[in-house]
Amino acid sequence: IADMRMKIHKDSGGTVWAFANNDAPRRADYSGPLGFQIGSRNNLRGPVYFNMDLGLGKTFPIHKELNLKFRADAFNALNHPSFDTPTTDITEASGLFGVITGTASTARVLQGALRLEF
């Protein structure tokens, strides 16, 4: 199963791959079920997902029962790409097993809010 360790990389054609050796996992580690044979289960894992959301708020008292609240939020604050799970179909003739076609996270989003409470 050493072939199945994640090593996300891009080849010269621009395709993003999940495994260091693109063909070895498909040839050596997987075979279609024959008869009553059951293959291994649940050993495919997706890339590590990492996301950090941040929020900051402050209340400014203006007068007796009048407050101004400010809030700023950052979603995916570090703008870190988290990749989708790779293609897991070993029977695909095109040989795209292990190809990552997109990201699981969106780009950084910032928002601010100002609220007057009375």
Side-chain angles (χ1 to χ4, degrees):
I1 302 278
D3 299 329
M4 298 307 299
R5 290 206 176 106
M6 285 285 162
K7 184 178 184 305
I8 298 173
H9 67 284
K10 188 187 294 189
D11 66 7
S12 60
T15 304
V16 179
W17 294 90
F19 308 111
N21 185 348
N22 305 327
D23 292 329
R26 187 168 50 164
R27 282 185 280 119
D29 298 331
Y30 295 100
S31 61
L34 303 171
F36 292 106
Q37 175 187 3
I38 298 175
S40 57
R41 293 183 48 183
N42 301 328
N43 58 352
L44 280 177
R45 304 280 189 255
V48 175
Y49 182 84
F50 177 77
N51 190 14
M52 183 181 291
D53 298 335
L54 300 173
L56 181 66
K58 173 76 175 161
T59 301
F60 299 97
I62 296 177
H63 183 58
K64 291 185 184 178
E65 294 186 21
L66 187 64
N67 292 321
L68 184 66
K69 289 190 175 185
F70 172 75
R71 178 150 181 92
D73 296 306
F75 303 99
N76 192 8
L78 302 177
N79 207 23
H80 183 270
S82 294
F83 294 103
D84 268 341
T85 54
T87 306
T88 57
D89 186 5
I90 63 170
T91 62
E92 193 171 319
S94 62
L96 295 178
F97 176 77
V99 172
I100 297 174
T101 58
T103 57
S105 61
T106 59
R108 178 186 306 129
V109 175
L110 302 173
Q111 72 179 21
L114 197 57
R115 177 178 171 163
L116 183 63
E117 293 182 348
F118 52 93

